[in-house]
Amino acid sequence: MTHTYNHFHEIDRNTETNKHLAEIVESIKANGWQGLPLLADGDNLFNGCHRATACEILDIAPEVHELEITCTWGEDEYTDYLLQNLCDAH
């Protein structure tokens, strides 16, 4: 069983109604994994929701690169602005 990631948008998993997904499933069946790796932070997937869903359907593991996002206070005004907004978010 492959790892299931949280997608940032829902995917219609029915290959009868989702032709784009059906094409990806058939491509992976015929050619194996092609293209860039998926990017994830833990269980959260940042790209390739259709490719990840196709791999789940086929019960194969996609190529996934783990992200690590870091920044520190006082690095620059832009970073401080982003961090302050993240800290203030509810």
Side-chain angles (χ1 to χ4, degrees):
M1 180 79 181
T2 61
H3 183 84
T4 301
Y5 291 94
N6 301 318
H7 300 186
F8 281 110
H9 61 88
E10 292 298 315
I11 300 293
D12 174 8
R13 294 179 58 91
N14 184 341
T15 55
E16 296 293 320
T17 56
N18 188 337
K19 299 303 178 195
H20 180 60
L21 179 61
E23 290 171 0
I24 294 171
V25 167
E26 290 306 313
S27 173
I28 292 174
K29 275 185 193 176
N31 306 308
W33 181 263
Q34 300 289 312
L36 298 174
L38 304 180
L39 301 176
D41 178 19
D43 290 338
N44 298 312
L45 189 63
F46 288 96
N47 70 334
C49 293
H50 285 88
R51 290 182 291 149
T53 301
C55 288
E56 290 167 13
I57 289 169
L58 295 169
D59 197 28
I60 62 171
E63 181 182 348
V64 179
H65 289 196
E66 190 69 26
L67 294 174
E68 183 176 323
I69 301 170
T70 61
C71 54
T72 58
W73 290 104
E75 196 171 280
D76 58 46
E77 288 180 23
Y78 182 70
T79 301
D80 287 350
Y81 169 79
L82 289 175
L83 287 172
Q84 188 61 53
N85 283 320
L86 287 170
C87 291
D88 292 340
H90 298 282

